[in-house]
């Protein structure tokens, strides 16, 4: 059934208004930090609910857990999705994007940023805020003071890089280490589900070892080497 000319005009009007809203507010530079943090918080809520829904129907062990264990199960779903998202974005900016390339002559690499790099960091800040909220709410079931300190310092560092636009390349380098989070969460899932003696648990342990070696040790060696090569650009930001 064909739409009337009046209906088509109304739809186009709403589309134009939506485009103006997105362009002038949601992805406008002054609003990107706040929009991205809100997006991160909302994404955490959505992932939490989806993890709960999927686990209820597809994982038998889930329904046998205590209330606190189910909440931690769902919370680890959030951290897994965040880790995948931020690791993929970090790998792109560190190894493939032209934004921090030496071929670019747009000033020191420590002062380069874009709306997308700011948005990605903002989503990560939203995650840290949501996770901190969960930790405080269920304290100390989801982790003790060491978790509070870790998440607080991480969130503050990422937020500073986002709002100031400084050191985003090295912030993304550090965030690549989140690649180990899904494997660590998987170990907890398998242990909680009573599969600690399974082959999957063993294979996951081997993956953790190599992921930790690459992302938590070799990557930091590369980062310090990169700082050494770009020492003259790094010094002004210290």
């Amino acid at each position: 059934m064909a739409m009337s000319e009046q209906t088509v005009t109304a739809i186009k009007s709403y589309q134009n208004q939506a485009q103006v809203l997105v362009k002038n507010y949601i992805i406008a530079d002054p609003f990107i930090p706040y929009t991205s943090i809100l997006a991160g918080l909302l994404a955490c809520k959505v992932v939490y609910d989806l993890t709960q829904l999927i686990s209820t129907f597809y994982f038998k062990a889930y329904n046998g857990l205590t209330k606190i264990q189910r909440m931690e199960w769902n919370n680890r779903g959030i951290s897994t999705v965040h880790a995948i998202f931020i690791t993929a974005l970090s790998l792109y900016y560190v190894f493939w994007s032209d934004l921090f390339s030496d071929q670019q002559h747009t000033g020191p690499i420590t002062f380069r940023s874009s709306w997308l790099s700011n948005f990605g960091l903002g989503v990560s800040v939203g995650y840290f805020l949501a996770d901190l909220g969960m930790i405080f709410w269920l304290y100390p079931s989801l982790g003790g003071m060491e978790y509070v300190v870790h998440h607080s310092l991480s969130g503050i560092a990422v937020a500073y890089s986002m709002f100031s636009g400084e050191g985003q390349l090295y912030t993304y380098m550090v965030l690549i280490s989140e690649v180990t989070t899904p494997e660590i969460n998987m170990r907890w899932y398998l242990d909680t589900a009573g599969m600690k003696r399974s082959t999957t648990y063993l294979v996951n342990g081997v993956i953790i070892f190599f992921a930790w070696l690459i992302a938590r040790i070799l990557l930091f060696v590369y980062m310090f080497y990169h700082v050494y090569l770009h020492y003259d650009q790094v010094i002004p930001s210290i």
Side-chain angles (χ1 to χ4, degrees), residues 27-224:
I27 63 173
D29 286 344
F31 293 95
I32 284 178
Y34 309 103
T35 303
S36 57
I37 292 174
L38 179 60
L41 290 169
L42 291 176
C44 288
K45 171 59 176 173
V46 171
V47 173
Y48 184 94
D49 291 341
L50 285 176
T51 302
Q52 182 179 35
L53 180 63
I54 294 172
S55 301
T56 300
F57 288 101
Y58 294 100
F59 296 96
K60 295 180 179 179
Y62 180 81
N63 294 316
L65 302 177
T66 65
K67 181 180 178 180
I68 294 297
Q69 286 178 320
R70 288 197 298 270
M71 295 182 76
E72 181 170 0
W73 181 293
N74 301 336
N75 188 62
R76 286 180 180 271
I78 297 175
S79 67
T80 298
V81 172
H82 166 261
I84 294 172
F85 164 78
I86 202 62
T87 297
L89 191 61
S90 298
L91 288 171
Y92 166 72
Y93 273 119
V94 173
F95 297 110
W96 292 292
S97 173
D98 291 332
L99 179 62
F100 302 110
S101 171
D102 289 333
Q103 307 303 320
Q104 295 291 324
H105 301 286
T106 55
I109 57 173
T110 50
F111 293 100
R112 297 180 195 172
S113 63
S114 68
W115 76 266
L116 181 58
S117 66
N118 285 329
F119 190 87
L121 294 178
V123 171
S124 194
V125 172
Y127 157 73
F128 283 118
L129 290 175
D131 210 28
L132 267 175
M134 289 285 293
I135 292 174
F136 281 125
W137 183 27
L138 300 173
Y139 190 86
S141 299
L142 294 184
M145 187 53 62
E146 68 278 6
Y147 279 81
V148 174
V149 173
H150 172 270
H151 279 52
S152 297
L153 293 178
S154 298
I156 291 171
V158 174
Y160 174 80
S161 182
M162 174 188 61
F163 282 110
S164 68
E166 295 183 23
Q168 291 195 0
L169 171 61
Y170 297 114
T171 300
Y172 275 113
M173 280 189 185
V174 173
L175 286 171
I176 292 177
S177 62
E178 283 292 309
V179 72
T180 61
T181 298
E183 295 83 11
I184 293 173
N185 285 340
M186 179 60 69
R187 181 178 62 182
W188 184 89
Y189 284 134
L190 294 172
D191 190 10
T192 303
M195 299 177 62
K196 194 171 184 178
R197 297 184 179 276
S198 65
T199 302
T200 304
Y201 189 91
L202 177 62
V203 172
N204 185 68
V206 174
I207 295 175
I208 289 177
F209 172 79
F210 285 105
W212 196 277
L213 174 65
I214 296 172
R216 303 273 181 169
I217 299 177
L218 297 181
L219 177 64
F220 280 86
V221 173
Y222 170 77
M223 185 180 72
F224 291 130

